[in-house]
Amino acid sequence: MIRSLLALALTLLLAMPASANPALQAVVAENLDQIEKPSRRTVEPLVAQIAATGPEGLALLSAWADRSLGVTDDGRLLIVDGDAATDAVTGQPVPGADPKMLRPNSGVRGIIESALVAGEISSPDPARRAAALASIARDGTAEHLAALRAAPAEADPALAAQRDRVTALLAIRFDPNPAARVAAIEAMSGDVGLDFRAALNPLLATTRVAAPTEPQANIARELTVGQADFPREAAIALLTSQGVLQPRLTPADQRNALAANIVDGSVGGVPVAELSDPAARDRAYEALEASGAVPPAATEAEAEAALAAHRFFEIYAEPDSDVTDAARAAQTGAQVRLAAMTGIDLGLDALSLASIYFLAAIGLAVTFGVMRVINMAHGEFIMMGAYTGYVVQTLVANRTLSLVLALPLAFAVTFGAGVLLYRLVIRHLAHRPLETLLATFGVSIALQQLAKNIFGTQARPLTAPAWLEGAITINDVISISSIRVAIFVLALLFLGLFLFIMKRTRLGLEVRAVTQNPGMAASMGINPDRIAMMTFGLGSGIAGIAGVAIGLFAQVTSELGQHYIVQSFMTVVVGGVGNIWGTLAGAALIGGLSKVIEALNPANTLAAQTFMILFIIIFIQFRPRGIIPQRGRAAEA
Amino acid sequence: MTEKLTRQPFILRNPSILVVLAVLAVFTVAVTLLSQAYGSGTVPTSTVKVLGKTLCLALAAVAMDLVWGYLGILSLGQMAFFALGGYLIGQWLMYARTEGIVAASLAQNPIPPTTAELQEGVANQIFGVVGSSDLPLVWSFAHSLPIQLLLVLAVPGLLALVFGWLAFRSRVNGVYLSILTQAMTLALALWLFQNDSGFRGNNGLSGLQNIPGLDAVDQATLSVWFLWASALALGLAYVLAAWLVSGKFGSVVRAIRDDETRVRFLGYPVEGFKLVVFTLAAMITAVAGALYYPQAGIINPAELMPIASIYLAVWVAIGGRGRLYGAIIGAVFVSLLSSWFTGGRAPGIHLPGYTVNWVDWWQVALGLGFVLVTLFAPKGIAGVVDRIGPLRAPSPERHAKEAKA
Amino acid sequence: MSALLEVDSISVSFDGFKAIDNLSFNIGDAELRAVIGPNGAGKTTFMDIVTGKTRPDAGDVKWGTPPKSLLKMNEAQIARAGIGRKFQRPTVFEDQTVADNLTMALKANRNPFAVLGWRPSVDSTGKVAELASEVGLAAQITRKAGELSHGQKQWLEIGMLLAQEPRLLLVDEPAAGMTLAEREQTTALLVRLAQTRAVVVVEHDMDFVRRLNCKVTVLHQGSVLAEGSLDHVTRNPDVIEVYLGR
C-alpha cells in the first residue's frame, strides 16, 4: 500500500517541473531534528504541515514512511531509490550522496500513512481517489479509518458509495467504540460480499483453552469432551500443549524405549519374546520407569484426572462480546443469503447440465418411442457431430462462421449416418430390440475405433467464438458461462422445433400415429418403415447437433459419446418414452440431481455419480415407466 | 423320442455334455503335456495363463448364456460379478502376501511386533498408495481365506438378489432392464474408482499372481494348476447349467423368456425363477472372476466398466445363445482372436497406398463382424454346429416373443 | 347358492375412459356362463381384472369359501388359487414340445426350488399322455408347439388349462378361427367341463353361445345390461337396441 502511494506520488513528482518548494523548505528547516528523531505523540502536526505543502511534501512523506528518506550531514533530506538520490525539497538529483537513513517507528509510520491517504482521498483527481480507496480496501488500518472519516465529502456518487463501504468495513474492525462497530456490522448485515465476510471472519476467530474454571474472556462456547468436533484425543492434545499433562507415550516411542533397554534378552524383567503382547510391553515399560531408565509418561489415570479437572472453552480473540454477537448474527444472515444464492447458482448449473442431457437424449427418446429400440451407437453420433464441428473449424477460420456452418452440417452428417444405419441394420432386426441393442453396439465400437484411426487418440479442440467465451456474472456467487447459456438456448430452440414438427406437420402426425399404434397407422396408409427411417434420421441428426454443443466445452475425443450415453439412457428411462415432455422431465431430474448430489458431496464426484445411479434404480421401482409414462392399452402389452 | 418322457439320466439325454467335457479334458491334458512345468515346454507359461484365463471367460459366458439365452434377460452387468469375485479373492491374496512381507520386515526389530503393529504395517503397505493407513471395514475378513472364499459367492449373489428383486418386482424388462443392469455396473465401477472406497481406487489390487504360502512354487507350475482349476470349474458349471436347463425348470425358464405373462397365468412365480437363475449366474460368474484374476495378476475398476459386460454378450451372441456350448465357443473363439489381433502379432494387410494394421482395425472388423452375425447368423457359430453336428440340445428355434418386451 | 367368484361393483378407467363401470357378477361352482357384448363392452378388461392383470379403481373381487379378495394377489397367485384363463389368441410355448407345454401346466408345486427338484414320474407321464389324447394331440406329443396348426394350438392351450385343474375357467373367444367340426367339439368339451367346475365363456358369436345353452350375461359399456337365458336376454329391448343400433 505504501508502495502504491509512493508510486503515485513519484509519478506526480516526475510529471512536474523540478522547482524548489519554499513552504516545504521552511518546514523542513524548522523541524529537522524532529524529522530525524520523531515521536509518535508530537509528530502529527508536523506531518500535517508537510502534507499541506503540496506534492513534494507528499513525496517526502511517502519516502519517510517507506524508510527511504535520508538526511545528509549538512541537513538536507534526500529521497533514496537504490543508488540514486534526489533532494526531497528541490527535487534535484544528488549524485554520490551518502545520507544517514531515517528509520521511523511503526507508530510514526502509521501517522504518516494516514496523512498520505488523507491527502490522496481528498485529491482533486478522481482516478487517484479511486486508487487510494482500492488500496485501503485491500489493506486497511485504523489510521485509514480516521483519515477516511476526516476527509471532505466525496462528489462522485460511485466513489462515495465505495468510500462509505470501505469506511464501514474499517469501522467494523478498527473503531475504538464497540457500539459504533456493532452499528457498522448491523448496518451491513445481509450483505454477501466477500469483503464483508472477510471483515467478519477475524472477529469470530477463536482459540481453544483448557482451564480449571471459567476464564475471564469473551467465551464463544464451552466444549464437551467427546462431542463430534472435540474428541478425547483433541482434549488431551490441548492439555499437553498447555503443559498441564506430560505427553502420552506413543506405541512407537514405547517400542523404541524398550528396544534401547534390552538386557540379556529381557526388558525390565519381561522376556523379549513376550513383547508381542501390548500388556507385556506396558509392564516392561513401567518396570523401566520405576528404575528410572526411561522418562515417565502420562498414564491413562493421569490423563483422566487432568480431563476431569479441566473445563474446555472456545474463546474469541475479540474481547467485546457485543461485537462478536453482532458479528455472529451478521455471519449467520450472510450465510443464509449465501446459501440461497448458491442455490440459485446451483439451479443455473443444473439447468445447463439438463440442457445438455436433453439435447443428448432427445434423439434416443424419439427412436425408442417409435421403434422400441435402443441405439447404442447414439453416443458415437454425438461424437461424429463434434468431429464434424472440428473439421469445419479447420477449414473455416472465422469461429462464428464455422460454428454456424457446423451446426447444419453436423445435423446432415449424422442424419445420413442414422438413415444408413436404419436401412442397413435396424430395419432388418424389427421387433428384436435386444438384438438391435447389440448390433448397434457393434456399430458403436467400430465407429469409435474408426474415429481413433482417423483423428488419433489425442483430444481435438473445438473452440467457441470469442462472444461465447467468458461468463455472465451477477455477483460474487452467481455466475454462468456464456457457452452454457448458449446450450440452454439451443435446447429450448430444439424443444420448440420438435414440438412444431410433432404437432404441426404431417410427419409429426404420422410419427405420433406410428408411436401409438403401428398396426392401425399402417392400415391408414402410413408407411411405418419410412416414418421409422425419418425419425431415426431426425434423432441421429439432433445427436450430431448435441455433439457440436458438447464439443464446445468438452474435449473432442473418440470416447466423447461414451461419457454422455449412459446419462442419456437414464434420461430416457427416467422420463418415460414417446413423449418429449418426459425427456425434458428426465433431463431436468437427472441434471438437477447430479448437481445437488455434487453440491452435497463436493469432494467426490465419483461418489456423487454412484449415488445418482442408485437413486435412478430406486426411482424405477416406483415409476417403472418413467415420469411421464406412455398411456393406454398399447403400453400395457 | 418318447424316451424323453421317461426317467433317464439327463446326461444321456444331452450328449453335448459328454462331448464338451471330453473336449475340455483333452484340451487340459494336452496343454499340461506341452507346458513348461509338466511337459515339453512347447507352450510358454504366458500362453498357459492366457488359456486358463480364456477358460474362466468361457465360464462367465456360460453364466451369461443362462441369463440371456435361456432366461431372456440381456444383462449388461455380468462382468460386475466377475470383477467382484476377483476383488474378493484379491483381498485375501494381497493381504496375506503383504502380511508375510510386513511380518518379515518387522522381525528385524529387536522387539517382536504386536498384532496391531502388524495390521498397521499391512494397511500402510496396501493403502499408502491412496494416502491412507487404516484398514477399511471391508477388509475385516481379508486375513481369512475361507471367509473370503465364502464372500466370493455371497457378495455377488446378494448383490444380484437385491438388484434382481428390485428390478423384477417392478416388472422392468427388455431394454429397460438391460439399461438398468448397465447402470448398476457403472455405479459399482465408479464407486470402486474412488480412493476412499477401500479398494485402492484406480490402482486396484495387484500382485495377485503370487499365492501366499506357495512362494516355493514357480509361476510355470502355478499356471498349470490354475488351468486345471479353471477347467474343473468350467466342467462343473457346464454340467450344473445343463442340468438346470434340461428339466421342467429349464422348460419354465425358457417359457419365461418367450412369454412371461403366459407363464404367470400358469401360476408360476416368474420373479422367483428369474431371481434363482440371475443369482446363480452371478455366483458362477464370481467364481470365474476369482479364478481369472490370480492368473491375470492385477484387477482394477476399469475391468468392470459396462463395455466389458457388453463384450461378454457379444461373445455369447457370436457363439450362439440358448446353447451352452455356443457360449463357450464364442468366448474362446472371440477372446483368443481378439488378443491375437490386438497383440500386434497378426500380419497386416498391404493395400496399395495403405497398410491395414490390425491393432488399429481389429475393433472395426469386430464391430462390423458382429453386426453381420446378428443380421445373418442370429444363432451364431453354434447354429452352424447344429446343422452339421450331432450336438442337438434342447434349444430355441426363435425369439419372436422377445419383441413383446 | 354360495358364489365361487363374486365380483362386487368394480370400476376401472383408462385415461378417463370408463372401461368397467360399477360391474357386479357372480358365478357358482359347476356353472357354465356366457358373457357377451359388443366390442368395447369391457369383456377382456373384466377378465384382466379377475386374473390380476389389471387392478380396478374401485370395488372388490372375492373368491372361494371363505371369500378371499383377489385384489391383493398377483397373477401367479390367482392362477394357483384355481383360476385358469384361455387367451383369445392361442398362446403356447412354440419352442417347446406339446409334452413340455402340458408338463409345465400340470398341477404341481410352482415354487422354483420344488420345480428344480421335480422329476417325471409314471403318474405325470400318464397324465400328460391322457391330456394329449383328450385334446386330440396324442400323435403330436413330441412335436414342437410352433409346428401345430392354429386349431391344434387352441386345443393345446385348452389341454394346458385342464392340466392346471382350475376351479374356474375363463375362456376368451374359444371358437375364433375354428372349423365347424372343431366348434362342436369345443362346445361339447366346455359343457362337460362345466359339470365339475365353473366356466365363463366370453364370446360374441351368438350361434356358439346358443349351443352352450346356459345363462348369459350381456355387458355394455362396462356394466351388466341384462342377465338370464339367451332367449330372455335377446328379447330385452335394451339388448336389441345395443346390438342392432351399432
Side-chain angles (χ1 to χ4, degrees), chain A residues 52-134:
Chain A
T53 60
E56 291 85 3
L58 292 178
L60 186 150
L61 286 178
S62 293
W64 192 12
D66 204 24
R67 292 181 173 169
S68 53
L69 190 69
V71 60
T72 55
D73 295 339
D74 58 351
R76 281 194 305 161
L77 290 175
L78 301 184
I79 295 172
V80 181
D81 182 15
D83 290 337
T86 45
D87 189 305
V89 177
T90 62
Q92 300 297 324
V94 182
D98 183 23
K100 185 179 74 147
M101 296 309 291
L102 298 179
R103 306 219 171 267
N105 65 29
S106 63
V108 173
R109 283 162 65 208
I111 291 166
I112 301 172
E113 272 167 30
S114 51
L116 279 171
V117 168
E120 286 295 314
I121 54 181
S122 41
S123 154
D125 180 3
R128 285 177 59 192
R129 296 204 301 273
L133 271 180

Side-chain angles (χ1 to χ4, degrees), chain B residues 243 247-250 252 268-269 272-273 276, chain C residues 80 107-120:
Chain B
W243 174 70
K248 184 166 161 185
F249 187 87
V252 174
Y268 286 99
F273 280 82
V276 169
Chain C
R80 290 202 295 274
K107 193 179 169 111
N109 192 339
R110 300 306 207 213
N111 179 290
F113 295 103
V115 173
L116 207 49
W118 189 90
R119 288 282 155 270

Side-chain angles (χ1 to χ4, degrees), chain C residues 10-221:
Chain C
I10 50 168
S11 297
V12 68
S13 54
F14 300 117
D15 272 345
F17 166 70
K18 280 226 164 204
I20 296 282
D21 186 11
N22 199 21
L23 174 78
S24 294
F25 178 92
N26 284 325
I27 188 165
D29 283 316
E31 187 187 344
L32 180 60
R33 176 81 61 91
V35 174
I36 62 173
N39 273 336
K43 292 171 301 198
T44 304
T45 309
F46 161 70
M47 289 175 82
D48 283 348
I49 288 173
V50 173
T51 51
K53 194 177 173 193
T54 303
R55 302 254 167 246
D57 302 332
D60 199 1
V61 181
K62 292 206 179 69
W63 167 256
T65 38
K68 223 171 111 186
S69 175
L70 290 181
L71 299 184
K72 290 183 190 68
M73 297 157 88
N74 63 32
E75 296 101 310
Q77 286 166 331
I78 291 173
R80 290 202 295 274
I83 298 182
R85 176 174 184 181
K86 197 207 151 298
F87 288 84
Q88 200 168 329
R89 202 164 45 90
T91 45
V92 294
F93 301 105
E94 311 210 337
D95 284 343
Q96 307 195 30
T97 63
V98 170
D100 283 342
N101 270 289
L102 289 172
T103 309
M104 236 189 293
L106 276 187
K107 193 179 169 111
N109 192 339
R110 300 306 207 213
N111 179 290
F113 295 103
V115 173
L116 207 49
W118 189 90
R119 288 282 155 270
S121 61
V122 178
D123 194 31
S124 72
T125 341
K127 197 101 180 251
V128 166
E130 188 186 310
L131 280 164
S133 56
E134 184 165 358
V135 293
L137 294 171
Q140 274 79 27
I141 197 150
T142 57
R143 283 181 67 191
K144 291 224 162 148
E147 299 163 3
L148 300 179
S149 74
H150 184 82
Q152 284 173 320
K153 284 180 192 168
Q154 294 273 35
W155 279 108
L156 174 56
E157 196 176 1
I158 291 171
M160 287 167 73
L161 266 181
L162 297 180
Q164 277 178 265
E165 298 174 24
R167 292 171 64 198
L168 168 66
L169 254 174
L170 298 173
V171 190
D172 202 352
E173 301 196 19
M178 281 193 174
T179 63
L180 200 63
E182 282 172 335
R183 281 174 180 225
E184 275 174 13
Q185 229 179 330
T186 311
T187 319
L189 179 71
L190 289 175
V191 171
R192 182 158 53 80
L193 286 175
Q195 288 165 1
T196 50
R197 70 203 77 203
V199 178
V200 175
V201 181
V202 168
E203 188 53 83
H204 53 211
D205 182 333
M206 283 300 193
D207 284 344
F208 188 82
V209 174
R210 188 172 298 283
R211 258 186 241 128
L212 287 177
N213 191 24
C214 64
K215 189 171 167 188
V216 175
T217 301
V218 185
L219 291 190
H220 178 58
Q221 289 178 353

Side-chain angles (χ1 to χ4, degrees), chain A residues 357 566-575 586-587 589-591 593-594 597 608-627, chain B residues 163 166-167 170 172 176 179-184 186-187:
Chain A
Y357 288 161
V566 177
Q567 271 86 351
S568 305
F569 286 154
M570 295 291 133
T571 300
V572 175
V573 168
V574 166
L589 184 73
I590 304 256
L593 208 67
S594 314
I597 295 175
Q609 290 183 52
T610 313
F611 289 131
M612 170 83 211
I613 294 170
L614 288 182
F615 168 83
I616 290 167
I617 293 176
I618 308 270
F619 176 87
I620 294 294
Q621 294 302 302
F622 299 100
R623 300 299 297 255
R625 287 176 198 283
I627 301 173
Chain B
F163 175 85
L166 287 173
S170 51
V172 178
Y176 265 53
I179 297 300
L180 218 55
T181 53
Q182 190 187 18
M184 175 200 75
L186 187 65

Side-chain angles (χ1 to χ4, degrees), chain B residues 346-369:
Chain B
I349 297 175
H350 298 280
L351 299 175
Y354 188 81
T355 301
V356 176
N357 185 352
W358 279 114
V359 176
D360 290 338
W361 288 92
W362 165 245
Q363 199 88 324
V364 179
L366 178 69
L368 295 180

Side-chain angles (χ1 to χ4, degrees), chain B residues 13-145:
Chain B
R13 277 182 277 130
N14 298 277
S16 74
I17 296 176
L18 292 177
V19 176
V20 167
L21 292 182
V23 169
L24 196 61
V26 168
F27 167 79
T28 314
V29 170
V31 172
T32 308
L33 292 179
L34 295 173
S35 72
Q36 287 174 332
Y38 293 99
S40 63
T42 324
V43 175
T45 299
S46 63
T47 308
V48 176
K49 283 192 175 183
V50 168
L51 294 174
K53 286 191 289 183
T54 306
L55 290 182
C56 296
L57 293 175
L59 180 55
V62 166
M64 177 75 192
D65 201 17
L66 273 185
V67 170
W68 183 29
Y70 288 88
L71 188 58
I73 296 173
L74 175 52
S75 163
L76 299 182
Q78 287 305 109
M79 288 311 259
F81 305 123
F82 190 81
L84 266 183
Y87 263 105
L88 287 162
I89 200 69
Q91 279 185 306
W92 174 76
L93 287 169
M94 201 159 172
Y95 186 94
R97 193 173 122 78
T98 313
E99 193 180 30
I101 294 169
V102 169
S105 94
L106 286 182
Q108 309 290 316
N109 289 349
I111 307 284
T114 60
T115 325
E117 279 171 353
L118 201 60
Q119 272 199 359
E120 200 190 310
V122 173
N124 253 324
Q125 273 285 318
I126 299 181
F127 293 101
V129 68
V130 289
S132 166
S133 58
D134 296 322
L135 209 59
L137 209 61
V138 286
W139 286 69
S140 305
F141 303 111
H143 58 273
S144 157
L145 177 61

Side-chain angles (χ1 to χ4, degrees), chain A residues 84-245:
Chain A
T86 45
D87 189 305
V89 177
T90 62
Q92 300 297 324
V94 182
D98 183 23
K100 185 179 74 147
M101 296 309 291
L102 298 179
R103 306 219 171 267
N105 65 29
S106 63
V108 173
R109 283 162 65 208
I111 291 166
I112 301 172
E113 272 167 30
S114 51
L116 279 171
V117 168
E120 286 295 314
I121 54 181
S122 41
S123 154
D125 180 3
R128 285 177 59 192
R129 296 204 301 273
L133 271 180
S135 160
I136 295 170
R138 270 199 305 279
D139 187 12
T141 64
E143 283 78 16
H144 291 149
L145 177 61
L148 280 171
R149 284 187 169 155
E154 172 65 60
D156 184 330
L159 279 180
Q162 201 190 344
R163 198 164 98 180
D164 288 348
R165 187 176 177 89
V166 171
T167 313
L169 288 172
L170 287 181
I172 290 172
R173 292 168 61 188
F174 300 115
D175 199 297
N177 178 5
R181 298 172 67 188
V182 170
I185 292 171
E186 278 164 2
M188 287 192 76
S189 118
D191 198 295
V192 292
L194 278 171
D195 50 359
F196 179 52
R197 284 181 275 149
L200 291 178
N201 280 338
L203 298 185
L204 293 171
T206 58
T207 50
R208 287 175 172 180
V209 295
T213 54
E214 198 169 302
Q216 288 298 312
N218 184 6
I219 295 172
R221 59 175 182 149
E222 183 166 359
L223 297 161
T224 318
V225 176
Q227 71 194 40
D229 60 345
F230 193 62
R232 192 169 180 275
E233 295 80 60
I236 288 175
L238 185 59
L239 288 170
T240 310
S241 73
Q242 288 189 333
V244 179
L245 196 63

